Amino acid sequence: MASQLSRIMRPDDANVAGNVHGGTVLKMIEEAGAIISTRHCNSQNGERCVAALARVERTDFLSPMCIGEVAHVSAEITYTSKHSVEVQVHVMSENILTGTKKLTNKATLWYVPLSLKNVDKVLEVPPVVYSRQEQEEEGRKRYEAQKLERMETKWRNGDIIQPVLNPEPNTVSYSQSSLIHLVGPSDCTLHGFVHGGVTMKLMDEVAGIVAARHCKTNIVTASVDAINFHDKIRKGCVITISGRMTFTSNKSMEIEVLVDADPVVNNFVKRYRAASAFFTYVSLSPEGKSLPVPQLVPETEDEKKRFEEGKGRYLQMKAKRQGQAETQA
């Protein structure tokens, strides 16, 4: 089963330099994934449901997309477990003047089917038919890996980012940023909880503000580490999306983004962590060339620890890319 969405990129989709926001692309990716997974989960007779986003694997932004180009988003179901669906999405940008197309994004998303009658009830997923036995085995390995990582990250980063008065430039406190958003009906699914794509777009906006404050240049999203959705966000909640820089290399910045939900109309539910992720940004010149990034100055022990953890993730991904390049060569 496969599906495709297409949309022309408008000025309100992009930054001042004309590059489409990473959050806009992430939102389109999630919409395509939600459509195909919901269709699949309702392909057999039984209780009707809607597919809710549970996790997005690491997503690399391979090439920038610009105003006036057409985004073609194609989604395909590649694996199903008893209660989840894996969807792989590819994004192509098309210059409609020349007909030139290029791959801009590849992403893997995981969805779970939630009953329309009871939002807390997870339904069983109809099995997908594989063309080869190896596809099912490889999918099962990916499923077990993401399940383990979700468990490890669920209670990580439980702290709240606090503002600091008169911070010094290039410190964590100097660029850290927060956005407060009241969840309305237009943000929500039929269930009355927030679309995963809406949350990801807000997360990318905050991460972009942090990156721009730090380097004072045009910035673009380079990649997004796995986004974990720990809990649903319901209509009427006030959500706080907070971002802080954790690591800088010579030409990239890692920003941690945390989403906390506050059910202000429900005294029985306390504020909770709804989602978390790491975004990587790069700084660009007016000509679109990569620029050196001002080095982050961690001050507290926690900031120094997060810096070293970010450095480990950076080196691990760098080694992985080098290994892939050598394999292809």
Side-chain angles (χ1 to χ4, degrees):
M1 183 182 289
S3 68
Q4 184 169 12
L5 302 176
S6 297
R7 183 164 78 80
I8 193 165
M9 295 294 98
R10 304 183 302 267
D12 58 346
D13 294 317
N15 60 19
V16 292
N19 303 121
V20 173
H21 290 294
T24 300
V25 178
L26 289 170
K27 190 169 184 287
M28 290 189 295
I29 287 172
E30 197 279 328
E31 288 172 353
I35 289 170
I36 191 171
S37 53
T38 298
R39 279 177 178 166
H40 177 76
C41 292
N42 289 282
S43 60
Q44 296 182 358
N45 292 331
E47 194 171 342
R48 294 305 172 194
C49 63
V50 63
L53 183 63
R55 176 179 166 89
V56 182
E57 302 290 358
R58 179 183 172 87
T59 303
D60 290 305
F61 288 74
L62 307 173
S63 180
M65 197 181 300
C66 301
I67 296 171
E69 293 185 329
V70 175
H72 300 285
V73 187
S74 57
E76 180 182 9
I77 291 176
T78 48
Y79 179 75
T80 57
S81 68
K82 186 177 181 180
H83 295 294
S84 64
V85 181
E86 180 192 54
V87 180
Q88 293 191 4
V89 181
H90 288 71
V91 183
M92 302 286 294
S93 66
E94 177 190 5
N95 183 321
I96 54 178
L97 300 179
T98 65
T100 304
K101 292 184 179 181
K102 58 185 177 182
L103 179 68
T104 62
N105 296 82
K106 293 190 293 184
T108 300
L109 304 90
W110 293 89
Y111 290 83
V112 293
L114 303 180
S115 167
L116 286 175
K117 296 179 180 179
N118 179 2
V119 70
D120 296 317
K121 182 181 179 182
V122 179
L123 301 180
E124 291 192 11
V125 176
V128 71
V129 178
Y130 303 97
S131 59
R132 295 180 294 107
Q133 181 65 31
E134 292 82 0
Q135 288 180 317
E136 183 175 9
E137 294 172 356
E138 291 166 358
R140 186 179 295 110
K141 290 178 182 177
R142 294 192 300 271
Y143 167 75
E144 294 296 339
Q146 66 87 26
K147 186 178 179 181
L148 179 63
E149 188 171 337
R150 273 180 57 78
M151 294 299 294
E152 291 175 347
T153 58
K154 186 167 185 179
W155 303 112
R156 187 182 64 189
N157 304 322
D159 56 327
I160 297 173
I161 299 174
Q162 300 287 356
V164 176
L165 294 175
N166 302 318
E168 293 293 325
N170 299 336
T171 61
V172 175
S173 301
Y174 184 80
S175 59
Q176 69 182 29
S177 305
S178 294
L179 183 154
I180 298 174
H181 179 77
L182 175 63
V183 176
S186 62
D187 298 321
C188 297
T189 66
L190 296 173
H191 271 116
F193 60 84
V194 178
H195 285 285
V198 171
T199 304
M200 291 194 291
K201 190 172 188 296
L202 292 170
M203 293 172 80
D204 181 71
E205 287 179 10
V206 170
I209 292 170
V210 173
R213 279 179 166 171
H214 181 76
C215 60
K216 308 293 185 184
T217 63
N218 178 36
I219 47 85
V220 293
T221 314
S223 66
V224 184
D225 206 351
I227 303 176
N228 290 295
F229 292 83
H230 308 304
D231 210 337
K232 298 182 289 292
I233 304 172
R234 295 180 183 274
K235 181 172 64 179
C237 281
V238 172
I239 55 174
T240 303
I241 306 97
S242 305
R244 62 185 169 200
M245 193 159 295
T246 51
F247 171 74
T248 54
S249 67
N250 290 333
K251 292 190 175 182
S252 68
M253 299 163 277
E254 182 191 73
I255 295 132
E256 180 183 31
V257 181
L258 309 172
V259 181
D260 294 310
D262 187 2
V264 290
V265 295
N266 188 340
N267 292 328
F268 300 101
V269 181
K270 295 181 179 180
R271 179 183 175 122
Y272 60 92
R273 178 64 39 84
S276 60
F278 290 98
F279 286 71
T280 299
Y281 274 75
V282 293
S283 173
L284 297 179
S285 69
E287 296 74 34
K289 299 292 180 64
S290 179
L291 293 174
V293 171
Q295 292 304 289
L296 182 66
V297 181
E299 297 176 296
T300 69
E301 289 303 314
D302 284 343
E303 290 172 359
K304 291 174 183 178
K305 180 182 177 182
R306 285 193 289 269
F307 186 92
E308 290 302 317
E309 291 172 347
K311 183 178 180 180
R313 286 187 291 271
Y314 168 77
L315 293 175
Q316 185 179 25
M317 188 50 58
K318 186 177 180 180
K320 184 177 179 180
R321 284 198 298 266
Q322 290 175 342
Q324 291 173 341
E326 291 171 0
T327 302
Q328 293 172 358

